[in-house]
Amino acid sequence: AQSVTQLDSHVSVSEGTPVLLRCNYSSSYSPSLFWYVQHPNKGLQLLLKYTSAATLVKGINGFEAEFKKSETSFHLTKPSAHMSDAAEYFCVVSVMDSSYKLIFGSGTRLLVRP
Amino acid sequence: GAVVSQHPSWVICKSGTSVKIECRSLDFQATTMFWYRQFPKQSLMLMATSNEGSKATYEQGVEKDKFLINHASLTLSTLTVTSAHPEDSSFYICSARDLGTGTGRSWYQPQHFGDGTRLSIL
């Protein structure tokens, strides 16, 4: 069975400083992992996805994530935070059967201070 | 990119009425769509999987007679909240799985989400 754990419910950074949102996964197989962002009263937008092609995945808006099998981690990073990055971020793993269901982490709220 | 349109974005109605929410994939086909419910400051909870041309699959604890799902075409799924009551008030979000092109395992294809529907029952 697959699962994801987001280690921080809230992360606060100053504008222009690096962002690190942590995610650990559990999977018996090579997982399919995603990071989604949700702004208030909006749906989810795909930031990036890991599909085993490359361990360092680049996404939209300057975000990237590194898949580390030895640490079972898929942390999301950005070199320099922008005020518009303030949102809820979800680490997600795909259930690897015909259901195509997604399993969501509990979410991390990113606060960006001016 | 793949776009999922969800309508309406906000609805307020009286207790006892039924509300229909539409989810459309605008530029891709989706044999499978998903309906989620999200409570304030919480993660998404999968309610049901909508399959084109067949019955929806509901998650444990979700009342299928309360939440009717129809997936009549490859681009449209609807969720009808029947006889809605205040406890049904929530944020409902749909997603559609992109079939993708070429070879490769389907579970690597991302889901694309609508903007959600805020349902308030008075």
Side-chain angles (χ1 to χ4, degrees), chain A residues 43-97:
Chain A
L44 277 67
Q45 180 185 20
L46 179 67
L47 282 177
L48 49 81
K49 62 179 181 180
Y50 169 73
T51 58
S52 78
T55 57
L56 183 61
V57 182
K58 294 187 182 299
I60 63 172
N61 301 334
F63 285 95
E64 61 182 38
E66 186 172 8
F67 175 76
K68 291 187 177 181
K69 186 176 181 179
S70 60
E71 299 176 10
T72 61
S73 69
F74 189 57
H75 300 335
L76 181 70
T77 61
K78 183 174 181 177
S80 176
H82 192 273
M83 293 298 291
S84 61
D85 294 327
E88 188 84 18
Y89 291 79
F90 293 98
C91 181
V92 181
V93 65
S94 179
V95 176
M96 305 181 86
D97 61 21

Side-chain angles (χ1 to χ4, degrees), chain B residues 23-99:
Chain B
C23 180
R24 294 179 184 273
S25 56
L26 296 186
D27 50 2
F28 65 98
Q29 293 183 331
T31 56
T32 306
M33 293 185 175
F34 302 86
W35 288 95
Y36 298 85
R37 185 171 179 176
Q38 187 178 30
F39 293 101
K41 300 185 186 301
Q42 293 189 25
S43 190
L44 278 70
M45 180 190 78
L46 179 65
M47 297 175 65
T49 303
S50 172
N51 303 297
E52 187 267 336
S54 65
K55 291 183 178 180
T57 304
Y58 291 82
E59 295 300 300
Q60 193 171 9
V62 177
E63 299 177 60
K64 59 181 66 177
D65 294 330
K66 158 71 78 175
F67 300 100
L68 300 180
I69 292 172
N70 182 272
H71 194 154
S73 76
L74 285 173
T75 60
L76 174 65
S77 175
T78 60
L79 168 68
T80 301
V81 184
T82 62
S83 187
H85 289 92
E87 58 266 29
D88 298 323
S89 298
S90 192
F91 193 58
Y92 293 88
I93 306 175
C94 71
S95 71
R97 190 178 69 86
D98 193 338
L99 288 176

Side-chain angles (χ1 to χ4, degrees), chain A residues 2-111:
Chain A
Q2 290 88 24
S3 67
V4 286
T5 302
Q6 291 184 246
L7 301 170
D8 307 292
S9 60
H10 292 82
V11 170
S12 181
V13 300
S14 296
E15 189 175 21
T17 64
V19 175
L20 170 64
L21 304 183
R22 298 183 294 166
C23 173
N24 285 109
Y25 70 90
S26 175
S27 178
S28 303
Y29 306 95
S30 180
S32 180
L33 293 161
F34 309 90
W35 274 99
Y36 284 88
V37 61
Q38 184 181 31
H39 289 92
N41 294 310
K42 288 290 188 180
L44 277 67
Q45 180 185 20
L46 179 67
L47 282 177
L48 49 81
K49 62 179 181 180
Y50 169 73
T51 58
S52 78
T55 57
L56 183 61
V57 182
K58 294 187 182 299
I60 63 172
N61 301 334
F63 285 95
E64 61 182 38
E66 186 172 8
F67 175 76
K68 291 187 177 181
K69 186 176 181 179
S70 60
E71 299 176 10
T72 61
S73 69
F74 189 57
H75 300 335
L76 181 70
T77 61
K78 183 174 181 177
S80 176
H82 192 273
M83 293 298 291
S84 61
D85 294 327
E88 188 84 18
Y89 291 79
F90 293 98
C91 181
V92 181
V93 65
S94 179
V95 176
M96 305 181 86
D97 61 21
S98 59
S99 73
Y100 305 113
K101 294 179 183 179
L102 297 180
I103 297 174
F104 287 79
S106 54
T108 298
R109 180 162 296 276
L110 177 64
L111 306 172

